[in-house]
């Protein structure tokens, strides 16, 4: 696992955008796995800036989002389909038909999960999967103790996740209790994964993910199995790491072709 610690989330997000933009420049028909939530917003703003000011071209890019709430239609302002349209898709030259978000209103949710997996396989897999990290260590909506080999499935959201995300719904009662999410196995199949986690609320989850044992209690720790996982942190989220100096040392001694900034 490559751990990159930056001074603040702003610098971290610009770095994350640089990594994704490089994938798109090298492979114009890249398949991007995307995340929602507060953390990647600044990263998406930077991708939009690069599109507008530097001609970053998304016309042949395909995207697959990690997850969606069960029961929320694309028109609902808290659905992840809506979030992606407002935060990224409508600001770049992506073909909307190439953007995929699981359908949380599907009559048969299990069939929708299977079809989502198949679409990812049919296109040849995901080139780079962007992830955030839940305060409880979840990736996608794979909550603690779920299977580390899961495929896209229906999950029950934990109480912690409900509390963390309910502010935008106005109250906890209005929040869906279930979501469709790529499984951990689906995430690990991406050719590359890029996780961003910032702020003091993520300190324990980051420590468990990077330095804890590989364990279902911290789904993020599954990234230890991935051959090409990059984690971008700020000083706050990295504060609990015992080997922070080691990660900084590795970062400083990279060969020219291994450097990002
Ligand atoms: C979002 C997702 C979640 C979030 C996580 C962190 O698509 O899958 O795993 O990445 O809950 O959310 P924020 O960034 O809001 O702290």
């Amino acid at each position: 696992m490559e751990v990159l610690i930056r001074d603040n989330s702003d610098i971290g997000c610009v770095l994350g955008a640089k990594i994704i933009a490089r994938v798109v420049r090298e492979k114009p028909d890249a398949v991007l796995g995307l995340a929602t939530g507060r953390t990647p917003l600044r990263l998406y703003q930077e991708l939009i800036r690069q599109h507008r000011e530097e001609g970053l071209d998304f016309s042949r890019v395909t995207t697959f989002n990690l997850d969606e709430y069960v029961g929320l239609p694309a028109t609902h302002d808290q659905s992840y389909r809506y979030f992606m349209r407002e935060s990224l898709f409508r600001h770049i030259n992506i073909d909307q038909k190439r953007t995929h978000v699981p359908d949380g209103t599907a009559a048969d949710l299990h069939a929708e999960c299977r079809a989502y997996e198949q679409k990812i396989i049919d296109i040849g897999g995901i080139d780079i999967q962007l992830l955030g990290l839940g305060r409880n260590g979840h990736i996608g909506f794979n909550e603690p103790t779920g299977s580390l080999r899961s495929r896209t499935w229906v999950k029950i959201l934990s109480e912690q996740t409900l509390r963390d995300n309910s502010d935008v719904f106005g109250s906890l009662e209005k929040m869906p209790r279930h979501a469709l999410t790529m499984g951990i196995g689906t995430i690990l199949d991406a050719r590359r994964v890029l996780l961003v986690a910032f702020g003091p609320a993520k300190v324990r989850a980051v420590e468990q993910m990077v330095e804890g044992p590989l364990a279902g209690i911290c789904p993020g720790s599954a990234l230890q199995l991935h051959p090409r996982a990059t984690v971008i942190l700020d000083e706050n989220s990295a504060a609990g790491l015992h080997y922070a100096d080691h990660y900084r040392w590795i970062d400083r001694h990279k060969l020219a072709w291994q450097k990002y900034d």
Side-chain angles (χ1 to χ4, degrees):
M1 189 184 287
E2 176 183 46
V3 180
L4 305 172
I5 304 170
R6 294 295 178 268
D7 287 349
N8 56 56
S9 60
D10 194 64
I11 298 173
C13 279
V14 171
L15 172 59
K18 197 179 252 186
I19 291 172
I20 292 177
R22 191 184 284 183
V23 172
V24 173
R25 287 199 173 90
E26 285 173 1
K27 187 179 177 194
D29 61 349
V31 180
L32 307 180
L34 298 178
T36 60
R38 286 152 286 231
T39 316
L41 276 174
R42 175 72 185 90
L43 189 156
Y44 291 151
Q45 283 166 12
E46 175 59 16
L47 287 178
I48 294 165
R49 189 199 65 74
Q50 289 202 31
H51 165 67
R52 288 185 179 150
E53 296 176 16
E54 297 168 16
L56 184 62
D57 181 12
F58 290 90
S59 61
R60 294 171 58 203
V61 164
T62 299
T63 65
F64 284 90
N65 261 80
L66 281 167
D67 40 20
E68 180 60 282
Y69 291 115
V70 168
L72 296 197
T75 48
H76 192 290
D77 64 2
Q78 292 310 325
S79 74
Y80 284 167
R81 167 56 84 180
Y82 188 97
F83 175 100
M84 288 309 301
R85 190 169 57 237
E86 292 305 306
S87 312
L88 181 66
F89 297 154
R90 76 181 179 87
H91 306 286
I92 57 175
N93 65 332
I94 197 159
D95 178 351
Q96 300 295 324
K97 289 194 291 296
R98 290 183 201 264
T99 68
H100 304 276
V101 181
D103 180 1
T105 64
D108 184 340
L109 293 174
H110 297 295
E112 170 63 13
C113 291
R114 282 195 300 275
Y116 204 68
E117 284 282 324
Q118 194 57 49
K119 273 188 247 174
I120 295 172
I121 292 168
D122 290 347
I123 200 139
I126 290 171
D127 289 301
I128 185 164
Q129 175 66 55
L130 178 64
L131 299 168
L133 182 67
R135 192 200 288 251
N136 62 4
H138 74 211
I139 49 175
F141 272 136
N142 294 283
E143 301 285 28
T145 72
S147 159
L148 294 178
R149 295 184 63 183
S150 51
R151 314 303 309 185
T152 301
W153 56 344
V154 184
K155 289 299 286 176
I156 303 170
L157 301 177
S158 71
E159 254 186 286
Q160 172 83 63
T161 300
L162 291 181
R163 273 199 301 276
D164 289 345
N165 292 5
S166 60
D167 49 338
V168 290
F169 283 87
S171 76
L172 208 122
E173 286 63 46
K174 289 190 188 144
M175 236 197 111
R177 293 325 196 224
H178 306 92
L180 305 187
T181 179
M182 281 186 201
I184 294 179
T186 322
I187 292 168
L188 291 180
D189 279 352
R191 283 184 271 285
R192 196 168 168 190
V193 295
L194 172 64
L195 183 143
V196 282
F198 306 118
K202 304 289 170 75
V203 77
R204 188 172 145 72
V206 164
E207 195 257 316
Q208 284 190 337
M209 168 180 71
V210 178
E211 297 178 347
L214 171 66
I217 195 70
C218 179
S221 69
L223 299 194
Q224 294 174 24
L225 288 170
H226 198 283
R228 211 166 169 211
T230 299
V231 171
I232 303 179
L233 308 172
D234 66 355
E235 293 293 348
N236 289 320
S237 62
L241 293 175
H242 299 87
Y243 297 93
D245 287 343
H246 166 68
Y247 311 131
R248 291 196 179 94
W249 169 271
I250 299 284
D251 203 7
R252 279 201 304 274
H253 291 83
K254 282 191 171 141
L255 298 167
W257 58 269
Q258 293 174 312
K259 290 183 184 162
Y260 304 112
D261 48 7

